[in-house]
Amino acid sequence: MGERVMRYKIGQNAYIKLVLHALSHKTSAVNGVLIGRLGDNEIVEISDAVPLFHSQQISLLPSLEIALLQIEEHYGSQGLSLVGYFHANERFDDYELSNVAKNIGDHVYRYFPQAAVLLLDNKRLEALPKTKDRSPVMQLYTRDASRNWKLVGSEESSGLIIQEPSANIVLLDYISSQKWHDIVDFDDHLDDISKDWLNPELFK
């Protein structure tokens, strides 16, 4: 018998926010955290996401700690917590989970033992206008018994699902209107505190 794979359900707004963040900084690695809770039947429900960094700050633990403290304070009052980590590589053709991503994934894992790491799959994202695929344009990684981050294979595609089946159609609409220009991440907030990392106006 193989190891049981946790299942993860990501909401449309959280999903789109992460992809738009990556598109807003195409020549940089970007990252973010997943917000949610452990639901019924061992399904992790990802209801929101916070774009974090797009610069050298991405690998600096002090900046991460500052961000996580504020994120925890905000979402904790809503009964939500950190449930995972998102990463997009700097190079378009890089499909490997970097050491930086693994290390931050390990950090989030200490908060939430069922944590997932999502890695943007640029190839699937690029093909989306042609394929009209409904599956996420992300790869799912979970920690195995050896505490290594392991890619959940395509034969276990139910490991990550989008809550709304039409999310990729909405995503394509946002991409065509260059909605990524409206994304604010924690980097932007640290440069100008008037910029809101919660992105309250993004989907209005």
Side-chain angles (χ1 to χ4, degrees):
M1 294 286 291
E3 292 178 41
R4 179 178 175 83
V5 177
M6 288 292 300
R7 289 187 295 159
Y8 301 83
K9 182 185 289 185
I10 187 168
Q12 176 175 290
N13 286 0
Y15 172 74
I16 289 175
K17 198 186 294 185
L18 292 170
V19 178
L20 290 179
H21 182 218
L23 290 172
S24 68
H25 303 283
K26 290 182 181 179
T27 59
S28 305
V30 307
N31 66 355
V33 288
L34 315 176
I35 307 297
R37 58 165 62 94
L38 182 60
D40 298 331
N41 302 316
E42 294 192 346
I43 296 176
V44 177
E45 300 168 350
I46 304 165
S47 55
D48 205 349
V50 178
L52 288 179
F53 303 112
H54 62 267
S55 68
Q56 283 76 18
Q57 301 276 4
I58 202 167
S59 59
L60 297 180
L61 197 58
S63 300
L64 178 67
E65 289 287 5
I66 291 168
L68 294 185
L69 282 171
Q70 291 193 41
I71 292 165
E72 276 188 290
E73 184 178 352
H74 176 81
Y75 286 99
S77 62
Q78 304 173 31
L80 300 171
S81 60
L82 290 169
V83 297
Y85 172 72
F86 171 80
H87 193 90
N89 287 323
E90 180 177 358
R91 290 204 339 267
F92 183 87
D93 58 349
D94 186 355
Y95 301 105
E96 296 295 321
L97 197 64
S98 68
N99 286 330
V100 169
K102 291 174 184 175
N103 290 339
I104 300 178
D106 288 341
H107 195 74
V108 174
Y109 182 86
R110 296 189 198 113
Y111 288 81
F112 187 74
Q114 299 87 3
V117 171
L118 302 181
L119 179 67
L120 183 67
D121 188 327
N122 283 308
K123 199 171 184 178
R124 286 165 73 178
L125 177 59
E126 185 183 43
L128 196 58
K130 297 175 184 174
T131 62
K132 301 293 193 291
D133 193 352
R134 291 192 172 198
S135 59
V137 292
M138 299 171 184
Q139 298 175 358
L140 169 65
Y141 288 80
T142 57
R143 288 241 299 199
D144 62 18
S146 303
R147 297 185 177 182
N148 296 314
W149 290 101
K150 177 187 173 188
L151 176 63
V152 178
S154 57
E155 70 277 3
E156 301 163 299
S157 58
S158 59
L160 175 66
I161 59 171
I162 309 174
Q163 188 168 339
E164 296 85 352
S166 60
N168 278 341
I169 296 171
V170 178
L171 172 61
L172 286 171
D173 187 48
Y174 279 132
I175 291 173
S176 67
S177 62
Q178 299 188 358
K179 189 74 172 174
W180 62 76
H181 291 302
D182 299 334
I183 279 278
V184 173
D185 65 12
F186 223 88
D187 250 338
D188 299 320
H189 175 72
L190 291 175
D191 287 340
D192 179 355
I193 59 171
S194 69
K195 294 183 176 180
D196 193 343
W197 52 267
L198 288 168
N199 291 278
E201 304 297 317
L202 187 62
F203 297 110
K204 290 184 178 178

